């Protein structure tokens, strides 16, 4: 398997219908900060999402996810996969100790009240015309 295109479709939350497409081997950060690859709004409704909430690791043979020490946790298919302790400041969170989980086509990632459905299209080799990350509203 070579993931040639990863799609994150918002299926629950105020951004429902928005689609983020990642098309090359990369690391992809989901959160509210301006430097995130998949950026969610910096507003009250999304205040339960950390600035740098979780990380997608997109490699030649697999796609994985890791929580980045978020305050409210990251969920994969309804199960919490990571969260920093409540008493620990963000600056002291050691996300390198957070477990990494394999993602599959159709999995759901929840950050705050936003749920993404993961789409993984695979080919024998990636296209040179693949996109990095772009967002579209359907």
């Amino acid at each position: 398997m070579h993931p040639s295109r990863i799609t994150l479709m918002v299926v629950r939350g105020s951004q429902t219908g928005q689609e983020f497409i990642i098309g090359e081997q990369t690391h992809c950060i989901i959160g509210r900060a301006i430097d995130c690859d998949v950026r969610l709004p910096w507003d009250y409704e999304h205040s339960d999402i950390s600035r740098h909430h979780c990380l997608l690791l997109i490699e030649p043979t697999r796609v994985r996810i890791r929580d980045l020490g978020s305050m409210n946790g990251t969920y994969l298919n309804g199960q919490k996969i990571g969260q920093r302790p409540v008493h620990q400041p963000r600056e002291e969170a050691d996300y390198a100790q957070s477990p990494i989980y394999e993602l599959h086509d159709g999995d759901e990632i929840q950050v705050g009240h936003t749920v993404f459905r993961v789409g993984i299209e695979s080919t024998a080799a990636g296209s040179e015309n693949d996109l990095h990350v772009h967002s579209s509203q359907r």
Side-chain angles (χ1 to χ4, degrees):
M1 172 183 98
H2 183 282
S4 61
R5 180 174 136 143
I6 311 301
T7 304
L8 299 177
M9 171 69 76
V10 179
V11 295
R12 191 167 67 222
S14 67
Q15 304 290 309
T16 297
Q18 180 140 8
E19 183 177 67
F20 298 90
I21 300 170
I22 306 147
E24 63 183 37
Q25 182 177 337
T26 187
H27 296 324
C28 177
I29 298 174
I30 299 173
R32 296 186 302 143
I34 197 162
D35 62 342
C36 288
D37 301 295
V38 174
R39 185 171 174 227
L40 295 163
W42 193 279
D43 58 17
Y44 179 77
E45 185 172 339
H46 296 89
S47 63
D48 52 357
I49 298 172
S50 296
R51 288 177 273 190
H52 297 105
H53 200 97
C54 61
L55 171 70
L56 298 182
L57 302 159
I58 302 161
E59 301 168 346
T61 59
R62 60 187 175 180
V63 181
R64 301 178 300 156
I65 186 169
R66 165 185 270 164
D67 183 82
L68 291 176
S70 65
M71 177 64 101
N72 295 305
T74 300
Y75 293 80
L76 176 58
N77 298 322
Q79 293 216 245
K80 187 180 284 188
I81 62 166
Q83 175 180 16
R84 76 173 184 263
V86 175
H87 67 278
Q88 185 179 47
R90 179 181 55 84
E91 298 77 23
E92 294 177 14
D94 184 4
Y95 72 85
Q97 298 300 314
S98 296
I100 299 175
Y101 294 85
E102 194 88 17
L103 289 176
H104 301 94
D105 188 55
D107 281 348
E108 292 191 347
I109 300 167
Q110 181 175 346
V111 297
H113 291 93
T114 301
V115 176
F116 298 94
R117 179 162 300 125
V118 178
I120 301 174
E121 293 180 29
S122 301
T123 60
S127 165
E128 296 207 13
N129 296 324
D130 287 341
L131 303 171
H132 174 55
V133 174
H134 91 269
S135 167
S136 66
Q137 185 73 32
R138 287 194 169 187

